[in-house]
Amino acid sequence: MAQNSSMPAGREPPFARRLTRLPSYDYSQEGAYFITVCTLGRLCLFGDVIHDTVLPNECGQAVSDVWNLLSRHFPHVQTFAFVLMPNHVHGVLLFRDVEEQAACPNHGRQRHGLPNVVGAFKSYSARAVNRIRDTRGQPVWQRGYYDHVIRSESTLARIGEYIANNPLQWNLDHDNPETRGRV
């Protein structure tokens, strides 16, 4: 990015965002996608990790419920590995091919890409969380999300293991407010 003469060296203007999407990649095609979505300000809204186990609160349960219903709203998408953490979620979404989609009862619907599916997840879950917290219209999630296109079975297995073991790593997480600054 070219330096803005009014900005100090090494700083981006506040409106600049680092794009993580692969240019010219079709995020609606068949495949597996690993995503991470974080709460705004990394606030712990979804529960606690006690003895390496996530104990979701009502908001966390609502977020998990929305994740589990994504396939109902997007018939070509299957939810795979998922973990709810106090201030973020990790999950894998599997997009089926067009032939499989045609066998779905709602095959007339438009095939949505990863940004649409993640956007719907964030929107539906934010509404549910705000309803529970009585904070209508307040942002719950950070803008954007992290994604990784999974290109092999071995990578899928490794990411699935990472997701399953994520609660075991909570005490080492730099976004854990109890360990922030010590890790």
Side-chain angles (χ1 to χ4, degrees):
M1 179 175 165
Q3 286 291 321
N4 180 335
S5 60
S6 63
M7 293 295 297
R11 304 255 345 245
E12 292 183 346
F15 55 83
R17 290 179 53 203
R18 194 175 125 247
L19 297 176
T20 59
R21 305 294 158 282
L22 294 172
S24 73
Y25 186 83
D26 178 5
Y27 281 89
S28 65
Q29 71 181 325
E30 176 183 9
Y33 302 92
F34 170 51
I35 64 162
T36 299
V37 186
C38 299
T39 60
L40 185 65
R42 299 291 206 285
L43 292 177
C44 293
L45 299 176
F46 305 140
D48 295 303
V49 177
I50 307 291
H51 303 297
D52 299 331
T53 302
V54 179
L55 300 175
N57 59 22
E58 189 178 4
C59 292
Q61 188 58 56
V63 169
S64 293
D65 292 345
V66 169
W67 176 268
N68 291 327
L69 291 172
L70 282 174
S71 293
R72 181 181 290 173
H73 297 285
F74 302 98
H76 66 288
V77 175
Q78 177 186 351
T79 56
F80 190 63
F82 176 77
V83 68
L84 173 87
M85 297 298 291
N87 60 9
H88 64 280
V89 299
H90 295 295
V92 173
L93 297 169
L94 304 175
F95 281 46
R96 295 187 293 236
D97 65 18
V98 177
E99 288 78 31
E100 284 188 52
Q101 181 189 3
C104 294
N106 299 320
H107 67 275
R109 293 184 181 175
Q110 176 186 357
R111 183 177 177 87
H112 294 89
L114 184 65
N116 305 105
V117 175
V118 174
F121 167 74
K122 289 171 69 173
S123 178
Y124 297 153
S125 60
R127 277 188 241 144
V129 168
N130 282 328
R131 195 170 26 258
I132 292 164
R133 297 175 67 216
D134 195 25
T135 54
R136 183 180 167 149
Q138 293 299 306
V140 170
W141 301 106
Q142 282 186 355
R143 190 173 172 184
Y145 59 94
Y146 169 82
D147 72 76
H148 174 77
V149 178
I150 300 171
R151 299 177 191 265
S152 70
E153 289 292 327
S154 63
T155 302
L156 179 61
R158 184 177 45 80
I159 289 172
E161 186 175 320
Y162 170 81
I163 290 171
N165 291 326
N166 206 252
L168 302 173
Q169 303 301 316
W170 181 240
N171 287 332
L172 303 174
D173 193 315
H174 67 277
D175 289 322
N176 177 345
E178 293 178 17
T179 60
R180 196 169 285 146
R182 290 187 289 149
V183 209

